[in-house]
mmCIF file of all heavy atoms in Angstrom:
data_model
loop_
_atom_site.group_PDB
_atom_site.id
_atom_site.type_symbol
_atom_site.label_atom_id
_atom_site.label_comp_id
_atom_site.label_asym_id
_atom_site.label_seq_id
_atom_site.Cartn_x
_atom_site.Cartn_y
_atom_site.Cartn_z
ATOM 1 N N ARG U 576 221.060 -137.568 150.488
ATOM 2 C CA ARG U 576 221.571 -138.768 149.836
ATOM 3 C C ARG U 576 222.349 -139.634 150.810
ATOM 4 O O ARG U 576 223.279 -140.337 150.462
ATOM 5 C CB ARG U 576 222.487 -138.382 148.659
ATOM 6 C CG ARG U 576 221.751 -137.587 147.594
ATOM 7 C CD ARG U 576 222.611 -137.373 146.383
ATOM 8 N NE ARG U 576 221.898 -136.622 145.356
ATOM 9 C CZ ARG U 576 222.393 -136.344 144.143
ATOM 10 N NH1 ARG U 576 223.589 -136.762 143.814
ATOM 11 N NH2 ARG U 576 221.671 -135.663 143.271
ATOM 12 N N GLY U 577 222.003 -139.575 152.086
ATOM 13 C CA GLY U 577 222.748 -140.320 153.098
ATOM 14 C C GLY U 577 222.413 -141.786 153.155
ATOM 15 O O GLY U 577 223.115 -142.558 153.789
ATOM 16 N N ALA U 578 221.312 -142.200 152.482
ATOM 17 C CA ALA U 578 220.908 -143.607 152.578
ATOM 18 C C ALA U 578 221.957 -144.532 152.004
ATOM 19 O O ALA U 578 222.265 -145.587 152.567
ATOM 20 C CB ALA U 578 219.573 -143.800 151.859
ATOM 21 N N SER U 579 222.525 -144.118 150.877
ATOM 22 C CA SER U 579 223.548 -144.966 150.267
ATOM 23 C C SER U 579 224.761 -145.076 151.165
ATOM 24 O O SER U 579 225.383 -146.125 151.267
ATOM 25 C CB SER U 579 223.939 -144.400 148.897
ATOM 26 O OG SER U 579 224.472 -143.096 149.044
ATOM 27 N N ALA U 580 225.116 -143.973 151.832
ATOM 28 C CA ALA U 580 226.268 -144.016 152.735
ATOM 29 C C ALA U 580 226.013 -144.958 153.902
ATOM 30 O O ALA U 580 226.901 -145.675 154.362
ATOM 31 C CB ALA U 580 226.586 -142.606 153.237
ATOM 32 N N MET U 581 224.754 -144.977 154.394
ATOM 33 C CA MET U 581 224.432 -145.869 155.502
ATOM 34 C C MET U 581 224.556 -147.328 155.096
ATOM 35 O O MET U 581 225.066 -148.163 155.849
ATOM 36 C CB MET U 581 222.992 -145.577 155.986
ATOM 37 C CG MET U 581 222.823 -144.194 156.618
ATOM 38 S SD MET U 581 223.822 -143.991 158.105
ATOM 39 C CE MET U 581 223.015 -145.167 159.176
ATOM 40 N N SER U 582 224.103 -147.640 153.872
ATOM 41 C CA SER U 582 224.208 -149.022 153.424
ATOM 42 C C SER U 582 225.656 -149.441 153.258
ATOM 43 O O SER U 582 226.020 -150.585 153.516
ATOM 44 C CB SER U 582 223.445 -149.196 152.107
ATOM 45 O OG SER U 582 224.029 -148.398 151.092
ATOM 46 N N ILE U 583 226.492 -148.495 152.840
ATOM 47 C CA ILE U 583 227.918 -148.795 152.689
ATOM 48 C C ILE U 583 228.548 -149.077 154.051
ATOM 49 O O ILE U 583 229.339 -150.003 154.223
ATOM 50 C CB ILE U 583 228.626 -147.632 151.980
ATOM 51 C CG1 ILE U 583 228.191 -147.587 150.515
ATOM 52 C CG2 ILE U 583 230.136 -147.771 152.072
ATOM 53 C CD1 ILE U 583 228.643 -146.352 149.793
ATOM 54 N N SER U 584 228.193 -148.270 155.068
ATOM 55 C CA SER U 584 228.746 -148.492 156.405
ATOM 56 C C SER U 584 228.359 -149.867 156.927
ATOM 57 O O SER U 584 229.150 -150.553 157.575
ATOM 58 C CB SER U 584 228.246 -147.409 157.355
ATOM 59 O OG SER U 584 228.690 -146.146 156.927
ATOM 60 N N ALA U 585 227.114 -150.277 156.645
ATOM 61 C CA ALA U 585 226.697 -151.618 157.069
ATOM 62 C C ALA U 585 227.510 -152.696 156.370
ATOM 63 O O ALA U 585 227.876 -153.705 156.967
ATOM 64 C CB ALA U 585 225.200 -151.796 156.776
ATOM 65 N N LEU U 586 227.816 -152.451 155.080
ATOM 66 C CA LEU U 586 228.625 -153.414 154.332
ATOM 67 C C LEU U 586 230.018 -153.535 154.933
ATOM 68 O O LEU U 586 230.591 -154.618 155.042
ATOM 69 C CB LEU U 586 228.707 -152.962 152.865
ATOM 70 C CG LEU U 586 229.629 -153.757 151.945
ATOM 71 C CD1 LEU U 586 229.084 -155.172 151.758
ATOM 72 C CD2 LEU U 586 229.762 -153.070 150.599
ATOM 73 N N LEU U 587 230.570 -152.407 155.351
ATOM 74 C CA LEU U 587 231.936 -152.407 155.879
ATOM 75 C C LEU U 587 232.035 -153.091 157.230
ATOM 76 O O LEU U 587 233.109 -153.528 157.637
ATOM 77 C CB LEU U 587 232.433 -150.973 156.004
ATOM 78 C CG LEU U 587 232.612 -150.204 154.694
ATOM 79 C CD1 LEU U 587 233.053 -148.792 154.985
ATOM 80 C CD2 LEU U 587 233.613 -150.912 153.813
ATOM 81 N N ALA U 588 230.949 -153.143 157.938
ATOM 82 C CA ALA U 588 230.993 -153.713 159.285
ATOM 83 C C ALA U 588 231.323 -155.200 159.276
ATOM 84 O O ALA U 588 231.724 -155.764 160.283
ATOM 85 C CB ALA U 588 229.661 -153.489 159.985
ATOM 86 N N GLU U 589 231.161 -155.809 158.121
ATOM 87 C CA GLU U 589 231.409 -157.243 158.034
ATOM 88 C C GLU U 589 232.876 -157.523 157.752
ATOM 89 O O GLU U 589 233.364 -157.252 156.675
ATOM 90 C CB GLU U 589 230.553 -157.850 156.925
ATOM 91 C CG GLU U 589 229.064 -157.698 157.153
ATOM 92 C CD GLU U 589 228.279 -158.389 156.067
ATOM 93 O OE1 GLU U 589 228.859 -159.255 155.379
ATOM 94 O OE2 GLU U 589 227.101 -158.071 155.899
ATOM 95 N N ALA U 594 236.633 -151.256 160.314
ATOM 96 C CA ALA U 594 235.233 -150.900 160.094
ATOM 97 C C ALA U 594 234.819 -149.769 161.021
ATOM 98 O O ALA U 594 235.024 -149.835 162.236
ATOM 99 C CB ALA U 594 234.345 -152.122 160.317
ATOM 100 N N GLY U 595 234.223 -148.730 160.456
ATOM 101 C CA GLY U 595 233.726 -147.604 161.223
ATOM 102 C C GLY U 595 234.768 -146.589 161.615
ATOM 103 O O GLY U 595 234.430 -145.518 162.120
ATOM 104 N N LEU U 597 237.173 -145.324 159.483
ATOM 105 C CA LEU U 597 237.440 -144.444 158.343
ATOM 106 C C LEU U 597 236.113 -144.062 157.713
ATOM 107 O O LEU U 597 235.384 -144.917 157.209
ATOM 108 C CB LEU U 597 238.338 -145.143 157.312
ATOM 109 C CG LEU U 597 239.721 -145.587 157.777
ATOM 110 C CD1 LEU U 597 240.470 -146.266 156.639
ATOM 111 C CD2 LEU U 597 240.513 -144.403 158.297
ATOM 112 N N GLU U 598 235.800 -142.784 157.768
ATOM 113 C CA GLU U 598 234.550 -142.301 157.220
ATOM 114 C C GLU U 598 234.802 -141.657 155.856
ATOM 115 O O GLU U 598 235.864 -141.076 155.622
ATOM 116 C CB GLU U 598 233.918 -141.277 158.157
ATOM 117 C CG GLU U 598 233.493 -141.842 159.493
ATOM 118 C CD GLU U 598 232.290 -142.763 159.369
ATOM 119 O OE1 GLU U 598 231.555 -142.648 158.376
ATOM 120 O OE2 GLU U 598 232.096 -143.611 160.273
ATOM 121 N N PRO U 599 233.824 -141.727 154.946
ATOM 122 C CA PRO U 599 233.974 -140.986 153.690
ATOM 123 C C PRO U 599 233.869 -139.484 153.957
ATOM 124 O O PRO U 599 233.305 -139.076 154.980
ATOM 125 C CB PRO U 599 232.800 -141.491 152.841
ATOM 126 C CG PRO U 599 231.794 -141.973 153.829
ATOM 127 C CD PRO U 599 232.573 -142.509 154.992
ATOM 128 N N SER U 646 227.206 -140.497 139.966
ATOM 129 C CA SER U 646 227.171 -140.587 141.424
ATOM 130 C C SER U 646 227.784 -139.321 142.014
ATOM 131 O O SER U 646 228.655 -138.692 141.393
ATOM 132 C CB SER U 646 227.966 -141.826 141.882
ATOM 133 O OG SER U 646 227.973 -141.935 143.287
ATOM 134 N N LEU U 649 232.807 -137.062 146.009
ATOM 135 C CA LEU U 649 233.278 -136.977 147.390
ATOM 136 C C LEU U 649 234.593 -136.217 147.525
ATOM 137 O O LEU U 649 234.826 -135.531 148.513
ATOM 138 C CB LEU U 649 233.464 -138.392 147.972
ATOM 139 C CG LEU U 649 232.196 -139.213 148.234
ATOM 140 C CD1 LEU U 649 232.580 -140.573 148.782
ATOM 141 C CD2 LEU U 649 231.273 -138.494 149.207
ATOM 142 N N MET U 662 233.952 -140.820 143.584
ATOM 143 C CA MET U 662 232.503 -140.734 143.710
ATOM 144 C C MET U 662 232.005 -141.622 144.844
ATOM 145 O O MET U 662 232.714 -142.512 145.325
ATOM 146 C CB MET U 662 231.851 -141.128 142.385
ATOM 147 C CG MET U 662 232.057 -140.099 141.279
ATOM 148 S SD MET U 662 231.327 -140.591 139.714
ATOM 149 C CE MET U 662 232.605 -141.678 139.063
ATOM 150 N N GLN U 663 230.741 -141.371 145.222
ATOM 151 C CA GLN U 663 230.174 -142.076 146.362
ATOM 152 C C GLN U 663 229.965 -143.561 146.082
ATOM 153 O O GLN U 663 229.960 -144.378 147.005
ATOM 154 C CB GLN U 663 228.839 -141.426 146.735
ATOM 155 C CG GLN U 663 228.327 -141.807 148.119
ATOM 156 C CD GLN U 663 227.049 -141.068 148.452
ATOM 157 O OE1 GLN U 663 226.059 -141.181 147.735
ATOM 158 N NE2 GLN U 663 227.064 -140.306 149.534
ATOM 159 N N ASP U 664 229.853 -143.928 144.802
ATOM 160 C CA ASP U 664 229.654 -145.338 144.479
ATOM 161 C C ASP U 664 230.955 -146.134 144.440
ATOM 162 O O ASP U 664 230.965 -147.298 144.056
ATOM 163 C CB ASP U 664 228.922 -145.478 143.137
ATOM 164 C CG ASP U 664 229.743 -144.957 141.960
ATOM 165 O OD1 ASP U 664 230.869 -144.466 142.204
ATOM 166 O OD2 ASP U 664 229.260 -145.029 140.823
ATOM 167 N N GLY U 665 232.087 -145.496 144.844
ATOM 168 C CA GLY U 665 233.372 -146.201 144.878
ATOM 169 C C GLY U 665 234.157 -146.110 143.593
ATOM 170 O O GLY U 665 235.192 -146.775 143.457
ATOM 171 N N GLY U 684 234.871 -150.398 144.808
ATOM 172 C CA GLY U 684 233.885 -151.138 145.588
ATOM 173 C C GLY U 684 233.292 -150.366 146.739
ATOM 174 O O GLY U 684 232.138 -150.570 147.103
ATOM 175 N N VAL U 685 234.061 -149.488 147.342
ATOM 176 C CA VAL U 685 233.610 -148.681 148.478
ATOM 177 C C VAL U 685 234.100 -147.252 148.279
ATOM 178 O O VAL U 685 235.047 -147.009 147.524
ATOM 179 C CB VAL U 685 234.142 -149.251 149.819
ATOM 180 C CG1 VAL U 685 233.503 -150.583 150.136
ATOM 181 C CG2 VAL U 685 235.656 -149.371 149.768
ATOM 182 N N PRO U 686 233.497 -146.282 148.946
ATOM 183 C CA PRO U 686 233.939 -144.892 148.774
ATOM 184 C C PRO U 686 235.363 -144.677 149.303
ATOM 185 O O PRO U 686 235.884 -145.450 150.105
ATOM 186 C CB PRO U 686 232.932 -144.087 149.604
ATOM 187 C CG PRO U 686 231.770 -144.977 149.796
ATOM 188 C CD PRO U 686 232.303 -146.369 149.806
ATOM 189 N N CYS U 687 235.935 -143.589 148.844
ATOM 190 C CA CYS U 687 237.274 -143.208 149.306
ATOM 191 C C CYS U 687 237.179 -142.452 150.631
ATOM 192 O O CYS U 687 236.283 -141.636 150.833
ATOM 193 C CB CYS U 687 237.967 -142.321 148.267
ATOM 194 S SG CYS U 687 238.616 -143.230 146.869
ATOM 195 N N VAL U 702 237.372 -146.401 152.557
ATOM 196 C CA VAL U 702 236.871 -146.500 153.928
ATOM 197 C C VAL U 702 237.024 -147.914 154.476
ATOM 198 O O VAL U 702 236.928 -148.122 155.697
ATOM 199 C CB VAL U 702 235.388 -146.061 153.987
ATOM 200 C CG1 VAL U 702 235.240 -144.596 153.664
ATOM 201 C CG2 VAL U 702 234.539 -146.907 153.053
ATOM 202 N N SER U 703 237.292 -148.886 153.605
ATOM 203 C CA SER U 703 237.561 -150.245 154.087
ATOM 204 C C SER U 703 239.025 -150.442 154.450
ATOM 205 O O SER U 703 239.430 -151.537 154.844
ATOM 206 C CB SER U 703 237.169 -151.267 153.016
ATOM 207 O OG SER U 703 237.940 -151.093 151.841
#
Side-chain angles (χ1 to χ4, degrees):
R576 299 187 179 184
S579 61
M581 294 297 294
S582 63
I583 290 170
S584 298
L586 174 67
L587 294 178
E589 299 183 19
L597 300 180
E598 295 290 338
S646 179
L649 290 179
M662 290 178 278
Q663 196 177 59
D664 65 359
V685 292
C687 283
V702 294
S703 62

